[in-house]
Amino acid sequence: MMSRQAFLCSLGSLYLSLLFVFLLMDVYARPANNSALKEKPADNKDENEILPPDHLNGVKMEMDGHLNKEFHQEVFLGKEMEEFEEDSEPRKNRKKLMIIFSKVDINNDKKISAKEMQRWVIEKTDEHFQEAVEENKMHFRAVDPDGDGHVSWDEYKIKFLASKGFNEKEIAEKIRNNEELKIDEETQEVLDNLKDRWYQADNPPPDLLLNEEEFLSFLHPEHSRGMLKFMVKEIIRDLDQDGDKKLTLSEFISLPVGTVENQQAQDIDDDWVKDRRKEFEELIDANHDGIVTMEELEEYMDPRNEYNALNEAKQMIAVADENQNHHLELEEILKYSEYFTGSKLMDYARNVHEEF
């Protein structure tokens, strides 16, 4: 007769064997993607590499005309922005913020002036520019398969559709043979918009071939004055309701935010309208005539405009300048840390003097 210990050992072995079998069944039961027409990419990385981003770091408005809610943090933190995470330890974030304060305060008088903040904003904006240049080198290699230093529209189109899940070899063959591509309406609309942008990035003499610098303008229009104009035209086209190629306040704040179903949603909509109204009246409409022209919007959008950087510096100081001396002390920046870094610090005052 089997002992109790032997029985338990036998039962344990049986359980492990069954578990192993179930795991194998799970692996082999997963559906294989054998579609010859469309393949799902492993992730969105390739798509993000070759599709111009909606969000441009250090630029005040998104490509769709929405305000960039992270702009203040981007021009204050630069490439260090990722270090300030919501779940990071407040004490560590506090120390990082103190170090940044000391870097901005170049004359070491324990306060930050508008000129010091302007210099810092310009420096951090340049960091975002350089980061985009470095990423562009990698992205350009991804879409330049023959390595000749130029990318044709067809080469880009093939890589773009492959990133959307289409079979790359099949798409390439159809394009080479001038065969019709069966593309859904939404993807085709994106392609048409991208082709317009491709033409704009193609510097004279136009040849529909983009080199690395032109490809950078294609992905990041903020790097090119000509492409910046094109981006402004697209934004005005989307918001301009009467076709006069200018924006009134009502046009600027009429961008739909979503259906308002409850009071909380109504409050969100109200805050959104309030932010856009303030931006329009105080910052974009330079001559305060109630109309924003393409030229005014272009100046506002230009991330390398030093006058804009100074205005931004003054605005950032005004937010946290509790003693109204037109400078920022460390205590003020720590208290308003969420505005500058997206990270809310607790008990900031208690630790200021002992750590800094």
Side-chain angles (χ1 to χ4, degrees):
M1 186 173 180
M2 183 181 295
S3 68
R4 176 180 175 81
Q5 183 176 4
F7 173 75
L8 290 174
C9 289
S10 176
L11 188 62
S13 299
L14 178 61
Y15 170 79
L16 289 175
S17 298
L18 287 173
L19 178 62
F20 182 69
V21 170
F22 285 141
L23 288 173
L24 286 177
M25 288 174 63
D26 177 62
V27 170
Y28 290 109
R30 292 171 189 166
N33 191 346
N34 297 318
S35 171
L37 179 63
K38 192 169 184 179
E39 302 170 340
K40 263 298 191 189
D43 51 40
N44 292 326
K45 185 178 179 182
D46 290 338
E47 179 180 346
N48 292 336
E49 286 178 352
I50 63 175
L51 183 64
D54 292 328
H55 175 76
L56 303 172
N57 287 334
V59 179
K60 291 190 174 186
M61 292 182 72
E62 309 285 13
M63 299 292 286
D64 59 4
H66 281 88
L67 298 178
N68 176 6
K69 289 295 186 182
E70 298 181 337
F71 176 74
H72 303 302
Q73 296 160 28
E74 290 167 356
V75 296
F76 184 74
L77 298 176
K79 60 185 179 183
E80 296 176 356
M81 186 174 173
E82 295 179 1
E83 296 182 16
F84 284 83
E85 301 173 357
E86 290 184 8
D87 57 350
S88 294
E89 186 180 337
R91 190 179 183 87
K92 290 183 178 179
N93 281 347
R94 186 167 51 248
K95 286 184 177 180
K96 293 174 190 174
L97 194 50
M98 290 175 178
I99 292 172
I100 291 176
F101 181 90
S102 66
K103 291 179 179 178
V104 184
D105 178 25
I106 55 176
N107 65 1
N108 297 316
D109 65 352
K110 306 301 181 186
K111 57 186 177 182
I112 295 174
S113 67
K115 280 292 184 182
E116 286 174 324
M117 185 67 85
Q118 178 197 30
R119 178 196 65 84
W120 183 257
V121 166
I122 292 172
E123 184 179 318
K124 296 296 107 177
T125 301
D126 285 342
E127 280 187 7
H128 288 303
F129 267 60
Q130 189 56 41
E131 189 175 25
V133 170
E134 293 302 318
E135 289 178 353
N136 183 69
K137 292 178 180 179
M138 177 182 64
H139 302 165
F140 185 77
R141 287 195 296 268
V143 295
D144 181 24
D146 53 16
D148 64 353
H150 292 85
V151 178
S152 70
W153 168 249
D154 282 345
E155 284 177 327
Y156 175 79
K157 184 177 180 179
I158 291 168
K159 290 294 184 180
F160 168 75
L161 290 174
S163 75
K164 299 294 286 184
F166 291 87
N167 184 285
E168 184 171 342
K169 290 183 179 179
E170 182 179 331
I171 290 293
E173 184 177 352
K174 286 182 177 292
I175 289 178
R176 187 166 51 248
N177 297 329
N178 292 318
E179 296 179 29
E180 181 183 358
L181 299 177
K182 295 181 179 179
I183 302 174
D184 59 274
E185 186 176 341
E186 183 180 351
T187 302
Q188 185 60 54
E189 184 178 351
V190 173
L191 266 177
D192 292 341
N193 291 334
L194 288 175
K195 193 169 186 179
D196 287 342
R197 183 185 293 222
W198 190 272
Y199 284 139
Q200 293 294 326
D202 186 16
N203 292 329
D207 55 7
L208 281 186
L209 297 173
L210 300 191
N211 59 29
E212 189 173 312
E213 183 178 349
E214 291 169 330
F215 192 72
L216 175 64
S217 297
F218 172 73
L219 288 184
H220 290 272
E222 76 276 17
H223 284 250
S224 160
R225 194 70 187 190
M227 286 299 290
L228 194 62
K229 289 179 182 289
F230 179 70
M231 183 166 65
V232 166
K233 286 180 181 178
E234 286 190 316
I235 290 175
I236 287 187
R237 180 198 64 195
D238 291 341
L239 304 183
D240 179 22
Q241 297 174 6
D242 59 12
D244 64 354
K245 298 182 180 179
K246 299 176 184 178
L247 295 180
T248 62
L249 176 60
S250 61
E251 288 173 329
F252 191 70
I253 66 176
S254 64
L255 212 63
V257 192
T259 305
V260 177
E261 297 178 349
N262 51 46
Q263 185 58 46
Q264 183 180 5
Q266 180 64 58
D267 292 342
I268 292 173
D269 274 23
D270 290 345
D271 288 343
W272 181 85
V273 169
K274 183 180 178 181
D275 288 343
R276 290 186 73 85
R277 179 187 295 274
K278 181 178 180 181
E279 204 80 7
F280 183 97
E281 294 177 342
E282 298 181 12
L283 299 172
I284 309 178
D285 183 14
N287 61 2
H288 304 293
D289 64 351
I291 299 291
V292 165
T293 63
M294 284 191 177
E295 291 75 20
E296 286 175 323
L297 188 55
E298 186 180 331
E299 288 301 313
Y300 170 79
M301 292 283 289
D302 184 1
R304 290 190 167 178
N305 185 317
E306 292 191 8
Y307 178 73
N308 283 351
L310 180 58
N311 278 340
E312 187 59 39
K314 291 177 179 177
Q315 183 181 356
M316 293 170 78
I317 289 175
V319 166
D321 183 20
E322 288 195 337
N323 61 12
Q324 298 295 302
N325 66 350
H326 306 293
H327 288 72
L328 284 183
E329 279 79 33
L330 178 59
E331 289 87 348
E332 292 171 328
I333 282 189
L334 290 173
K335 185 172 183 179
Y336 290 85
S337 63
E338 194 167 14
Y339 173 80
F340 292 101
T341 70
S343 174
K344 191 171 184 178
L345 305 181
M346 305 302 292
D347 298 328
Y348 73 93
R350 187 179 64 187
N351 299 280
V352 168
H353 299 293
E354 64 185 55
E355 293 183 5
F356 188 73

